[in-house]
Amino acid sequence: MPTDQALRLAQEADLDLVEVAPTARPPVCKLMDYGKFKYENAQKAREARRNQTNVVIKEMKLRPKIDGHDYETKKGHVVRFLAAGDKVKITIMFRGREQHRPELGFRLLQRLSEDVAELGFVESSPKQDGRNMVMVLGPHRKKAEAKNQLRVEKEKEMADRAAEEAEDKAERTAANAGRSTVAKERGRSENLDPEIEA
């Protein structure tokens, strides 16, 4: 179809003539509302960005001779990271003579991976890297799932808190009403006392 005839058709239909495939022989054009087309593409791109997850690797550093309480604290951080859907890189740093005992670090990493087995799995097994030994733990569930679950838990907690506050308010109102009734009765009895004396 000649270009001027296609343009006339587009004007009659109150649409735009958009070239879809310029390299084809002959070039392919389409009648469409170009503004609406651009808007829908922008919406699709925004939705795709919203559903996209960024892989974040958190790092936790340990020493082979770590104390029990310190180990529990570090393990708590690892649990929190895995629960949030992030990967965790565990690094054990060796110093001096510790470098000749890599089995200490290996045992510590195995213990940690067993302790957090319900939240994550060993993505890359422990490897010696110069003075350090490195292991990567991956979460069992994706970050989007973890975010949704955290949001649901937070909403439930807020609803519970609102219900408790409403209950407390009702109790305070009932208590205040009881006090005012007692005060009125006391006032009446005080008013009656002078009459009895008279």
Side-chain angles (χ1 to χ4, degrees), residues 22 24 30-31 42 50 65 72 81 88 94-95 97 99 102 104-105 112 117 135 143 148 153 164 167 178 183 188 197:
K30 192 174 182 182
L31 295 177
R50 186 181 303 149
K65 296 178 182 176
E72 289 299 322
F81 295 148
V88 185
F94 295 101
R95 277 197 279 181
R97 294 181 184 178
Q99 293 176 38
L104 294 175
L112 183 63
M135 175 178 78
K143 189 152 184 127
N148 287 338
E153 288 173 2
E164 285 177 13
E167 199 174 289
R188 284 188 199 135
E197 290 173 8

Side-chain angles (χ1 to χ4, degrees), residues 2-15 17 31:
T3 307
D4 56 339
Q5 192 178 352
L7 283 169
R8 197 173 331 106
L9 270 173
Q11 286 175 347
E12 287 172 5
D14 198 27
L15 295 171
L17 182 67
L31 295 177

Side-chain angles (χ1 to χ4, degrees), residues 136-154:
V136 177
L137 295 172
H140 284 307
R141 58 184 185 182
K142 293 181 179 157
K143 189 152 184 127
E145 294 171 11
K147 272 186 180 178
N148 287 338
Q149 185 172 355
L150 285 173
R151 184 176 45 79
V152 167
E153 288 173 2
K154 192 176 281 187

